[in-house]
Structures are given as structure tokens and as C-alpha cells.
């Protein structure tokens, strides 16, 4: 028991030494420029890649990128904030239709249409958030499922969405470099958001709502915020999807789509950004890679999912601290979760 | 006498036909260690839940300083200066100690979504301040060496300390501790008593519920006793210990013993009567 006594002083002996970075690196404009440089690098690499790889593989990469943006949104709602959503495809649908209507009917620039698609979806995220706040777990899942069905039925019957025939005549405006840049930006934004006061509040909602409330977290507010931000990502992804396929119909965004997106998050590891990205890559690429099996394709796909969930129930990267893992792999200094069993305190 | 920081006036809470808290009036004064004791089911935790807005009283008022707490949503209380721990530990178990304490500091922060996503200078300044405060709170509870570990991997006693650290980081004026010594061994208990005194010495008023009489009688300035939702005694530890009504509530009277046997109070009376005497002198 070498505890308690050594910490009476007000000083902070255990505080981590500030990371050794040159001062100019800490300036906000410098970091913003570095981030822009990263995006440009991503653009250049994917532009080059686009020339080299066949169109079919390029298309798979492109859909992977779009799915990453969408599933990151779902990961925020379900993985980080702990609100099980079975209707994420509905936000994608709203974003897709809104963006398509913006470019086709309203002749708005594509970038603005994408943004508006995201914002409209976010608005619906808030609208869905309010009535479902009192629900949790299974009940919330059912409510989101109902919401997704309503959106699908409404899209099938509205004139503005061209009903069941589907919305066509959308220009193809999306290419791989654009999607890659947006996906990288989405990963960065999510990482920043999760590692902030807002992100911590969202995780506290997942962990224990009563303790979160006692700590001053307005759980209602952060649940709605998670739904809004998650829906925004889905909406932007939907807009990209619409301007890739140039044709969308209500059945593109059905229940199976929501389940597929949830599978990507769960397979990768709920609450983990890297896991979500990995899960999305695996589940987007797998059906294509398994195409040579023709009739047995979906069977193998399903069996792979089951086996993976048996051996990694927390997801591929669930419970893995990436930074820690990399540090350990490279043996750089001591890891964050080193077990210091001082004086037999370890139970 | 110093001023009253928390004041309950005639507070009543009913759950259907059951009166959980029945016309309780009590106060907590600035800078003291105030205790609330009573047999299981007496309504102690319910009083905490009333103060923290989990329940609303059917009757009566609760004032914190000058302000009425009636109708204040629970998440506002941390910002007003009331922090609490829970009887059955409620940590954010799959997060690190540091994150647990940072969430405790939520009410001290202001930054929002834009600050988080764009990492603007005010946001960074705030994060730096908060993490410094979190380190201080962890160090105060002797947990700074384990800041990176997950809360669920801590031994029991340290989980209790982490909960207190999470409450302290919000810089409360009033700290509510719900059975902080439950499940601790004797050394941990005396360390806890020392910690509670240190917390009081930093200017934080402490209001605690406790079953362990050694702890209660050793550190409390004043003790209130609750039984069946009613306050049956209130005063200095020595007075409360001698109170006939309190002894009856804990021991029962000779003739009624048969009826009261089912009451799940164990080991308290002996400590109250014998062990407590040694601690009363300080």
C-alpha cells in the first residue's frame, strides 16, 4: 500500500512531460496548413492511383470511401454514444435525395448540394432524436427502424423524389480523389470530435447515464448532438452516392442497407474509428472479392461474419488502443497501460 | 456558527402509498463534515437523490445557498457546485482514469462542437487547463500513477477513490458521499477518513451517508439519524450515540425484538457503543 501518502502535496508529480514539439508546430495556422497539405497529398496519390488501377477496382475503392464516411457517422451514434440505430440508411437516403434535388432541380453547385444534403439529414437526425430520447436499447432500435421505413415509404410516394421509379438524371460528379479526401477529412474530424469535451460527454452517456448526469453532462443534448452529427456524415455520404450512381431509388436505402452499415461498425469494433474503417473496408470489398464463388458468395460472406464474431466478439479492433499498440510494436518508450503492480495492490 | 450551505425544509417524497422521506428538515453548514445515518431502507440515499434532482419532493423545499433546487435539472447541479458519489460505484468503466476525471470536469468546460472539430486556440487552452486539473484531482486521491489504466481494472478501493476524484475535479462547494467506506478494509477506511478530512480542509463541505460507525463518529461534526423516512435525531456524534430513539432504531427494544429481527442491520450497534468512544475524543 504505497498510496495516499505520497500525493498529499498539491504538486503534480505524475503529470506527463509535455510532448517535445517545436513551438512553431503548435501554432494553429501551421497545423491547419499541414492538414491541408495532407489532403493535397491524398488527392495526388489517389489521382495517380486512378490512372493505374482498373475501373472496376477503382469503383470498389470509391464505394469503400463513401461507406467509410457513412459508417463513421453510425459509429458516433451507436459505438461512441451507445444509441443503437437500425435506420442509418434513412439519413443516407435523405442526404442523397436532398443533394440530387439540389443539383438537378435547383442547379446548385455540387459542393453546396453535398453540404445541404448533410445538413438536411442532420435536421432529421435532430427530429428523430427528440421523440426517441426516452427510449433506449431495443426500443430505440425499433423506433429507428420505424423511422427508416417511414422515410422509404415517403420517398416512394413523393412526387419530388419521383416515387418508386427512382430519381435519375443526376450528373456523375464524384471521383476517387474527391472521396478519398473527404474520407480522410471525416476520419480526422471524428478523431478530433471524440477526443474533446463533446466526445467524452458522448462516451459518458454510453457508459453510465446517471453518473454522466451527476458529472454535469446534459445527456439529452449530447444524444441529439450525436444523432445530428452522425446523420450529417450519412447525408454527405448519401450525396456522394447519388452523384456516383447517377440514379437512386427508395429501395437502395432499405433495412438491409442499415443492417449492412451496422455490421461494418460491429465487425470493426464499436466505438473505434480505426475499427469502423477496417470493418467497412472488409465488408465492402468482401462481396466483390468473393464474386468468383458465384452462387456461394453470400453464403461464404455470412459464414465469414459469423466466424469473425465468434473469435473477435468485440470486433476486429474492439478494445485495441491503436496508439498503444503501435508504440508497443515499435517498442517506443513505455506504453500507456503498463501494469505497475506497486506493493501488491493488484487485487 | 458558519452559514448554512444546504437546507432541507419539511421535505416529503412518496412512491405511491409508501412515504420514503417524511417531512425531513435538516441543514448542512459551510465547511463541516455532516453525516446522515440510519438502518437500511431508512431513506438516506433517497435524500441524496432529492438533493441531486433525481427525484422531486412532493412537499417541502431544498435550498443550496440562496438558491432553491426545486426544478433544477440534475445535470445543472455540478455547475452550481454540488458533486456526488454513488453507493454502488458508477464509473465509466471502459474508459481510462484520466477520461473518467475529465468527464467529471465537464461542467468546468465551455467548448462546443466547432471548437472540437477545428481545434481552435481557445479549445486547446481549455483542454490543457482541464487535463491539468484532472491530474491534480487524480494526484490528490493518489491515483495519478494509474491515469492511463481502465477504470474497470482498478481494485475496489481505488475505484471508490476514483469516484471521489471525479467528483472533486468539478471543484464543488458541496460534496455528497454515499457510503464511501462500503466494502473497504480497516486500513482503507482510515485512509479514507484522512482523505475526507483533507477534502474538508480545502474548503469543500462534505455531506456523507455511512453505515460504518467508526468512520461516522470519527470524522463527522454533526450527525442526523433517519428511520422509516423520518428524522429521529440530529446533533453532535456523542449526543446521537446516547439518544434512546437511535439505540432503539438500531437495536430494537427488548419486548419487540421478535418483530425486528428481520431488520438487516448488523454489526453496527457494537461499534456504535464500544468502538466509537475511542474516536470521539478528537
Amino acid at each position: 500500500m504505497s498510496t495516499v501518502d505520497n500525493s498529499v502535496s498539491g504538486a503534480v508529480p505524475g503529470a506527463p512531460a509535455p510532448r517535445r514539439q517545436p513551438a512553431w508546430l503548435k501554432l494553429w495556422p501551421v497545423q491547419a496548413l499541414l492538414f491541408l497539405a495532407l489532403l493535397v497529398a491524398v488527392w495526388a496519390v489517389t489521382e495517380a492511383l486512378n490512372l493505374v488501377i482498373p475501373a472496376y477496382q477503382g469503383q470498389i475503392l470509391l464505394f469503400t470511401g463513401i461507406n467509410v464516411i457513412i459508417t463513421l457517422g453510425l459509429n458516433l451514434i451507436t459505438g461512441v454514444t451507445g444509441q443503437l440505430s437500425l435506420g442509418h440508411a434513412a439519413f443516407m437516403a435523405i442526404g442523397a435525395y436532398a443533394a440530387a434535388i439540389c443539383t438537378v432541380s435547383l442547379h446548385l453547385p455540387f459542393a453546396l448540394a453535398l453540404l445541404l444534403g448533410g445538413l438536411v439529414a442532420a435536421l432529421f437526425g435532430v427530429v428523430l432524436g427528440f421523440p426517441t430520447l426516452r427510449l433506449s436499447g431495443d426500443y430505440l432500435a425499433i423506433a429507428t427502424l420505424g423511422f427508416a421505413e417511414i422515410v422509404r415509404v415517403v420517398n416512394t410516394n413523393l412526387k419530388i423524389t419521383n416515387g418508386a421509379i427512382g430519381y435519375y438524371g443526376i450528373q456523375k460528379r464524384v471521383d476517387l480523389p474527391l472521396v478519398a479526401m473527404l474520407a480522410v477529412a471525416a476520419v480526422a474530424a471524428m478523431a478530433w470530435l471524440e477526443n474533446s469535451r463533446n466526445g467524452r460527454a458522448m462516451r459518458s452517456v454510453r457508459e453510465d447515464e446517471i453518473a454522466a448526469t451527476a458529472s454535469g453532462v446534459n445527456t439529452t443534448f449530447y444524444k441529439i448532438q450525436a444523432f445530428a452529427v452522425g446523420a450529417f456524415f450519412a447525408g454527405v455520404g448519401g450525396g456522394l452516392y447519388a452523384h456516383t450512381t447517377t440514379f437512386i431509388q427508395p429501395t437502395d436505402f432499405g433495412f438491409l442497407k442499415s443492417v449492412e452499415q451496422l455490421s461494418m461498425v460491429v465487425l470493426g469494433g464499436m466505438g473505434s474509428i480505426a475499427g469502423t474503417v477496417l470493418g467497412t473496408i472488409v465488408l465492402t470489398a468482401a462481396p466483390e472479392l468473393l464474386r468468383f464463388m458465384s452462387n456461394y458468395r453470400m453464403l461464404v460472406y455470412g459464414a465469414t461474419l459469423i466466424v469473425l464474431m465468434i473469435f473477435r466478439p468485440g470486433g476486429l479492433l474492439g478494445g485495441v488502443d491503436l496508439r498503444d499498440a503501435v508504440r508497443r510494436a515499435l517498442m517506443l518508450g513505455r506504453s500507456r497501460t503498463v501494469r505497475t503492480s506497486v506493493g501488491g495492490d493488484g487485487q | 456558527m458558519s452559514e448554512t450551505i444546504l437546507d432541507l425544509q419539511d421535505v416529503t417524497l412518496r412512491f405511491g402509498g409508501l412515504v420514503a422521506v417524511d417531512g425531513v428538515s435538516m441543514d448542512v453548514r459551510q465547511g463541516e463534515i455532516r453525516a446522515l445515518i440510519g438502518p437500511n431502507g431508512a431513506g438516506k440515499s433517497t435524500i441524496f437523490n432529492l438533493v441531486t434532482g433525481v427525484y422531486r419532493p412532493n412537499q417541502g423545499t431544498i435550498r443550496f445557498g440562496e438558491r432553491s433546487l426545486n426544478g433544477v435539472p440534475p445535470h445543472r447541479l455540478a455547475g452550481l457546485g454540488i458533486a456526488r458519489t454513488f453507493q454502488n460505484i458508477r464509473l465509466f468503466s471502459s474508459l481510462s482514469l484520466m477520461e473518467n476525471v475529465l468527464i467529471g470536469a465537464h461542467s468546468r468546460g465551455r467548448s462546443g462542437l466547432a471548437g472540437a472539430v477545428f481545434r481552435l486556440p481557445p479549445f486547446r487552452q481549455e483542454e490543457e487547463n482541464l487535463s491539468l486539473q484532472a491530474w491534480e484531482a487524480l494526484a490528490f486521491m493518489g491515483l495519478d500513477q494509474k491515469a492511463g489504466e481502465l477504470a474497470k481494472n482498478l481494485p475496489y478501493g481505488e475505484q471508490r477513490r476514483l469516484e471521489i476524484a471525479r467528483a472533486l475535479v468539478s471543484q464543488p462547494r458541496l460534496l455528497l458521499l454515499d457510503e464511501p467506506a462500503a466494502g473497504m478494509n480497516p486500513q482503507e477506511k482510515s485512509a479514507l477518513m484522512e482523505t475526507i478530512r483533507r477534502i474538508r480542509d480545502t474548503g469543500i463541505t462534505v455531506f456523507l451517508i455511512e453505515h460504518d460507525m467508526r468512520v461516522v463518529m470519527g470524522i463527522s461534526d454533526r450527525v442526523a439519524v433517519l428511520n422509516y423516512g423520518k428524522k429521529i435525531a440530529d446533533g453532535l456524534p456523542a449526543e446521537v450515540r446516547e439518544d434512546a430513539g437511535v439505540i432503539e432504531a438500531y437495536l430494537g427494544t427488548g419486548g419487540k425484538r421478535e418483530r425486528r429481527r428481520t431488520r438487516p442491520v448488523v454489526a453496527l450497534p457494537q461499534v456504535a457503543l464500544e468502538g466509537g468512544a475511542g474516536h470521539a475524543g478528537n
Side-chain angles (χ1 to χ4, degrees):
Chain A
M1 286 291 291
S2 67
T3 44
V4 186
D5 307 335
N6 56 7
S7 58
V8 180
S9 66
V12 217
R19 260 190 293 167
R20 278 174 217 293
Q21 275 179 348
W24 60 269
L25 247 179
K26 286 187 182 169
L27 290 173
W28 189 80
V30 176
Q31 294 187 335
L33 276 179
L34 280 177
F35 182 65
L36 279 182
L38 171 71
L39 287 187
V40 171
V42 168
W43 174 79
V45 168
T46 45
E47 191 74 65
L49 203 63
N50 222 2
L51 297 175
V52 182
I53 58 173
Y56 172 64
Q57 273 79 354
Q59 194 77 353
I60 296 174
L61 271 182
L62 197 144
F63 277 115
T64 306
I66 294 176
N67 282 343
V68 162
I69 296 171
I70 294 169
T71 51
L72 280 174
L74 180 60
N75 180 50
L76 187 73
I77 298 171
T78 301
V80 177
T81 317
Q83 308 300 305
L84 182 55
S85 168
L86 285 179
H88 202 60
F91 297 128
M92 184 189 171
I94 292 166
Y97 275 108
I101 290 166
C102 281
T103 53
V104 175
S105 303
L106 305 175
H107 306 291
L108 291 176
F110 173 57
L112 184 62
L114 265 191
L115 183 68
L116 283 177
L119 289 177
V120 172
L123 187 71
F124 275 89
V126 174
V127 169
L128 174 67
F130 269 107
T132 50
L133 277 171
R134 291 169 186 282
L135 308 174
S136 60
D138 313 347
Y139 304 104
L140 179 68
I142 303 278
T144 54
L145 177 65
F147 169 74
E149 283 304 292
I150 292 170
V151 168
R152 188 180 61 80
V153 171
V154 167
N155 280 341
T156 316
N157 290 289
L158 276 184
K159 255 207 184 82
I160 194 172
T161 60
N162 209 19
I165 301 161
Y167 201 90
Y168 47 84
I170 311 166
Q171 267 189 309
K172 184 167 166 58
R173 305 292 291 273
V174 176
D175 55 3
L176 185 57
L178 174 70
V179 169
M181 279 198 300
L182 285 180
V184 168
V187 169
M190 272 297 166
W192 287 329
L193 172 59
E194 283 186 25
N195 190 17
S196 74
R197 179 167 169 268
N198 293 55
R200 286 191 298 267
M202 287 173 188
R203 269 180 290 170
S204 76
V205 170
R206 175 191 71 196
E207 294 286 313
D208 189 325
E209 282 196 42
I210 293 173
T213 305
S215 301
V217 174
N218 183 349
T219 53
T220 309
F221 177 77
Y222 286 102
K223 278 188 212 171
I224 292 185
Q225 190 171 73
F227 262 104
V229 175
F232 177 81
F233 276 64
V236 171
L240 290 170
Y241 177 84
H243 290 83
T244 306
T245 58
T246 69
F247 169 73
I248 49 175
Q249 53 186 349
T251 48
D252 288 351
F253 315 102
F255 175 58
L256 280 179
K257 194 78 176 179
S258 297
V259 170
E260 190 188 309
Q261 287 160 356
L262 189 63
S263 314
M264 291 172 180
V265 173
V266 173
L267 178 81
M270 297 238 272
S272 155
I273 293 176
T276 301
V277 173
L278 183 64
T280 307
I281 292 172
V282 169
L283 287 194
T284 311
E288 305 298 334
L289 295 178
L290 296 174
R291 223 168 251 288
F292 69 92
M293 297 185 178
S294 60
N295 287 342
Y296 298 101
R297 183 166 72 108
M298 291 326 271
L299 189 86
V300 173
Y301 175 84
T304 314
L305 259 186
I306 292 172
V307 170
L308 272 173
M309 289 330 285
I310 288 173
F311 287 103
R312 298 276 316 169
L316 289 173
L317 293 179
V320 176
D321 185 338
L322 258 198
R323 251 184 274 174
D324 200 43
V326 170
R327 214 171 301 167
R328 239 176 314 164
L330 303 175
M331 291 195 283
L332 290 172
R334 107 196 143 114
S335 82
R336 269 210 302 167
T337 50
V338 71
R339 300 275 179 279
T340 43
S341 54
V342 187
D345 251 3
Q347 286 170 314
Chain B
M1 271 295 140
S2 50
E3 61 184 294
T4 300
I5 185 169
L6 183 73
D7 189 27
L8 281 75
Q9 281 298 329
D10 193 30
V11 171
T12 299
L13 179 72
R14 296 185 202 88
F15 293 116
L18 178 83
V19 186
V21 176
D22 192 356
V24 170
S25 298
M26 67 179 292
D27 64 334
V28 179
R29 291 178 200 145
Q30 176 74 46
E32 73 173 343
I33 298 178
R34 178 76 150 122
L36 181 61
I37 64 172
N40 281 339
K44 306 181 299 291
S45 287
T46 311
I47 296 253
F48 269 25
N49 285 335
L50 282 165
V51 171
T52 54
V54 178
Y55 302 132
R56 299 211 170 153
N58 298 107
Q59 236 174 271
T61 56
I62 302 171
R63 302 185 72 80
F64 178 61
E66 292 300 299
R67 195 185 167 123
S68 168
L69 291 185
N70 290 19
V72 175
H75 66 262
R76 286 274 166 75
L77 291 162
L80 291 178
I82 300 179
R84 72 171 293 180
T85 65
F86 294 87
Q87 184 177 354
N88 43 343
I89 305 176
R90 285 182 172 275
L91 291 170
F92 307 121
S93 50
S94 64
L95 304 183
S96 72
L97 271 66
M98 188 65 186
E99 286 171 312
N100 268 273
V101 179
L102 278 173
I103 292 166
H106 185 84
S107 61
R108 314 241 35 107
R110 288 284 160 271
S111 71
L113 205 55
V117 174
F118 296 110
R119 307 257 127 182
L120 296 168
F123 168 84
R124 289 162 186 235
Q125 188 58 48
E126 183 181 298
E127 284 288 293
E128 220 163 278
N129 290 342
L130 289 186
S131 63
L132 202 67
Q133 288 170 18
W135 273 107
E136 277 168 3
L138 282 175
F140 188 87
M141 296 307 294
L143 291 169
D144 48 326
Q145 296 300 318
K146 297 192 170 186
E149 289 198 35
L150 298 186
K152 64 181 168 198
N153 293 339
L154 288 185
Y156 183 82
E158 294 187 351
Q159 292 196 357
R160 285 231 169 260
R161 301 219 304 265
L162 175 58
E163 241 201 343
I164 297 177
R166 186 180 67 191
L168 283 179
V169 76
S170 68
Q171 302 174 7
R173 287 165 62 204
L174 175 66
L175 176 64
L176 308 178
L177 300 174
D178 198 343
E179 295 201 27
M184 284 188 168
N185 64 34
Q187 289 110 306
E188 286 174 327
K189 276 178 192 169
S190 44
L192 174 79
M193 287 165 71
E194 195 43 54
T195 306
I196 294 176
R197 285 201 195 93
R198 278 199 297 137
I199 292 170
R200 192 260 323 267
D201 292 343
T202 64
I204 297 171
T205 308
V206 178
F207 182 16
L208 74 145
I209 293 174
E210 190 45 69
H211 263 324
D212 190 297
M213 288 300 155
R214 201 182 281 269
V215 172
V216 170
M217 297 301 168
I219 59 172
S220 308
D221 295 310
R222 290 188 303 147
V223 179
V225 188
L226 220 57
N227 194 26
Y228 289 117
K230 284 201 170 83
K231 191 171 85 170
I232 57 171
D234 196 351
L236 301 174
E239 295 168 5
V240 167
R241 200 165 33 224
E242 306 295 323
D243 189 280
V246 175
I247 294 170
E248 195 203 321
Y250 273 103
L251 287 175
T253 56
K256 292 175 189 161
R257 219 177 197 156
E258 211 57 43
R259 264 198 316 134
R260 302 246 170 161
R261 185 175 280 171
T262 50
R263 167 139 285 179
V265 180
V266 271
L268 293 173
Q270 296 93 319
V271 187
L273 299 172
E274 301 153 23
H279 282 277
N282 52 17

